[in-house]
């Protein structure tokens, strides 16, 4: 899919892998900082032994692993490259009245998602938490004085802070509460993926991926997270129902005769559309969708202002994702953020979808190729998370 690689990695400055061991105490180095060399020759090389310490060797190995696992495979087969050119010509010739997005950028690249599965990359610690902290602080309608529970970047938190946060949250309108729950659910879903596809063994012979129960418990166990973990999982289910609802609402857009999943192969296009509609009708038959009728049901002017706030917040979250130092994490983070944003766009456009013409261009409601790719891949990741919860539940049955 197309995406802008606005690599904001200037903050990953080059630092020494080894400290001097004297002088003013420096703050702990992050894994990302330790991955970049500096011009000055490290002390380990200067010393008579010409050997790194055991600690330094471990740090180097950790950095190399994180850089290797987080790299994006940008290779495309010759067949795929030809198809991409056809897709671009097709999209450029279609009626598109939406805001120009990342796919139009000269810096956009196509990436085969099958070659870049979402899984553990070694990107963790303060850098990863800073990204999520900024997302929560800047985009959840939250004042700075209200602290989010179990935020490792904030000190002195406890039950009083938790009570204050949730008391504040319950005082918000239903739309703003839902926004926080969606971001929390997305965060939880990504953590489930990383725990379920964890690098358990990394040798020159093989890489073994699987479920890391300890990692899952640290993020979701009720005792270890002081009750916060179960809330996160509830928010994940909430996100799942929201995206289910959006897919059920957008069925008329995909049913239109003019819509096709263009690949350049007419037979393949027809089959793809048939399979897509089969999935969508199965989703539509699900009886327990989220009921969005209570959303934006008040004063029309206030409702429109709130919708615009939602849109701007999601665009800001996407920009924050550009700061993620791990390329693969950034790829999947932005894709799932845009997928959720597309789901909300659909829910906010119910009347526009209902009034679409049966054929010809749809001037009022339209989804770009990138939005469609993001929508279904994001739902695929959420669905996988829900399935993995069942797997972890079975694995944890005999653990006390």
């Amino acid at each position: 899919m197309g995406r802008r690689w606005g690599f904001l990695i200037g903050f990953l400055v080059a630092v020494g892998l080894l400290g001097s061991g004297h002088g003013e105490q420096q703050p702990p180095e992050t894994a990302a900082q330790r991955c970049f060399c500096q011009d000055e020759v490290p002390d380990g090389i200067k010393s008579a032994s010409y050997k790194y310490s055991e600690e330094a060797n471990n740090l180097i190995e950790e950095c190399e692993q994180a850089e290797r696992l987080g790299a994006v495979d940008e290779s495309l087969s010759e067949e795929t490259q030809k198809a991409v050119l056809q897709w671009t010509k097709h999209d450029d010739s279609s009626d598109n009245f939406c805001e120009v997005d990342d796919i139009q950028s000269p810096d956009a690249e196509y990436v085969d998602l099958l070659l870049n599965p979402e899984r553990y990359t070694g990107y963790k610690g303060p850098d990863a938490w800073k990204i999520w902290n900024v997302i929560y602080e800047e985009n959840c309608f939250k004042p700075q004085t209200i602290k989010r529970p179990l935020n490792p970047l904030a000190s002195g938190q406890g039950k009083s802070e938790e009570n204050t946060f949730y008391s504040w949250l319950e005082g918000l309108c239903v739309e703003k509460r839902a926004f926080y729950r969606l971001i929390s659910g997305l965060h939880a879903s990504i953590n489930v993926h990383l725990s379920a596809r964890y690098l358990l063994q990394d040798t020159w012979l093989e890489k073994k991926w699987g479920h890391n129960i300890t990692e899952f418990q640290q993020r979701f166990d009720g005792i270890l997270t002081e009750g916060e973990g179960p809330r996160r999982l509830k928010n994940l289910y909430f996100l799942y129902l929201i995206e289910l609802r959006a897919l059920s609402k957008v069925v008329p857009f995909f049913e239109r005769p003019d819509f096709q999943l263009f690949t350049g192969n007419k037979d393949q296009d027809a089959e793809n559309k048939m399979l897509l509609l089969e999935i969508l009708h199965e989703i539509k038959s699900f009886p327990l969708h989220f009921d969005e009728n209570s959303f934006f049901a008040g004063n029309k002017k206030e409702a429109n202002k709130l919708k615009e706030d939602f849109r701007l917040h999601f665009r800001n979250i996407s920009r924050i994702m550009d700061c993620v130092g791990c390329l693969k994490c950034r790829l999947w983070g932005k894709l799932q953020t845009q997928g959720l944003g597309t789901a909300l766009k659909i829910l906010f456009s119910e009347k526009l979808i209902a009034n679409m013409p049966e054929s010809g261009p749809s001037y009022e409601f339209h989804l770009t190729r990138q939005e469609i790719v993001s929508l279904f891949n994001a739902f695929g990741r959420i669905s996988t998370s829900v399935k993995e919860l069942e797997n972890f539940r079975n694995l944890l049955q005999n653990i006390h």
Side-chain angles (χ1 to χ4, degrees), residues 63-72 117 119-123 199 202 207 209 326 328-329:
C63 291
E64 290 177 345
Q65 183 192 64
E67 189 172 2
R68 184 175 70 255
L69 297 178
V72 169
R119 57 191 180 189
Y120 173 81
T121 64
Y123 183 70
L199 185 59
D202 185 13
K207 286 183 174 64
W209 303 86
C326 165
K328 191 175 293 183
C329 305

Side-chain angles (χ1 to χ4, degrees), residues 277-286:
L277 292 179
E278 183 179 328
I279 293 173
L280 291 176
H281 283 292
E282 183 70 22
I283 291 174
K284 196 170 184 178
S285 67
F286 179 65

Side-chain angles (χ1 to χ4, degrees), residues 17 31 34-35 58-68:
L17 293 173
R34 294 194 300 268
C35 289
N58 291 337
L59 295 180
I60 294 172
E61 291 176 4
E62 178 185 332
C63 291
E64 290 177 345
Q65 183 192 64
E67 189 172 2
R68 184 175 70 255

